[in-house]
Amino acid sequence: MYAIIKCGGKQYKVSEGDILDVDYTGQAAKETLEITDVLAINNGELKTGDAVANATVSAEVVLDGTGVNRAKKVIIYKKRRRKDSKLKRGFRKSFTKIRITKIAA
C-alpha cells in the first residue's frame, strides 16, 4: 500500500515505514505530523479525487534539520567572462526528516 502526498509544495510517493526529508515544518523531534493533502492511494487499485478526500497520512518527526543538521551546502558560482566579475555564494537548506507511521484511507 502506498500513497502520494503533497508536503511543502512537492509530491512524494510514500508507504508505511519510509523515511524522507521534507521542507522545514518547525516541529521538534518525536512530534506527530498529520498530512491531509493526499493526492492518491493505492491498495490494490488506485483511488484519486473524491475517493481520498478525507484520507490522512500520519508521520513522526525523526529530526528537525536546523542548526548543524541542515542539508549539504549548495555552491552558487556566477562568472562573467572577460569582465573580472565573479560571485560565489553558499546555501544550506533546512529540512525535517519524517518517518511515515500510518496511512488511513
Side-chain angles (χ1 to χ4, degrees):
M1 177 178 200
Y2 69 87
I4 298 174
I5 60 171
K6 187 175 181 183
C7 186
K10 298 177 184 73
Q11 296 177 6
Y12 301 97
K13 178 183 173 185
V14 297
S15 52
E16 290 185 14
D18 285 354
I19 296 175
L20 61 138
D21 296 337
V22 296
D23 286 343
Y24 182 67
T25 60
Q27 293 185 331
K30 297 186 181 176
E31 288 187 19
T32 58
L33 177 68
E34 286 289 324
I35 301 169
T36 58
D37 205 359
V38 179
L39 303 176
I41 289 181
N42 188 350
N43 55 356
E45 63 175 293
L46 188 67
K47 296 179 197 171
T48 59
D50 291 335
V52 294
N54 53 3
T56 60
V57 174
S58 300
E60 176 190 1
V61 176
V62 177
L63 177 75
D64 65 332
T66 58
V68 296
N69 295 324
R70 290 191 289 172
K72 187 176 177 182
K73 184 179 274 193
V74 177
I75 302 295
I76 298 101
Y77 191 79
K78 298 179 181 178
K79 184 177 186 310
R80 293 161 193 90
R81 62 183 189 164
R82 298 186 303 270
K83 304 292 184 203
D84 194 27
S85 172
K86 58 190 171 201
L87 176 71
K88 183 178 180 181
R89 295 251 169 99
F91 175 73
R92 290 181 70 189
K93 185 176 181 179
S94 297
F95 67 93
T96 301
K97 187 178 290 267
I98 61 172
R99 177 183 295 120
I100 306 298
T101 56
K102 182 176 149 186
I103 298 173

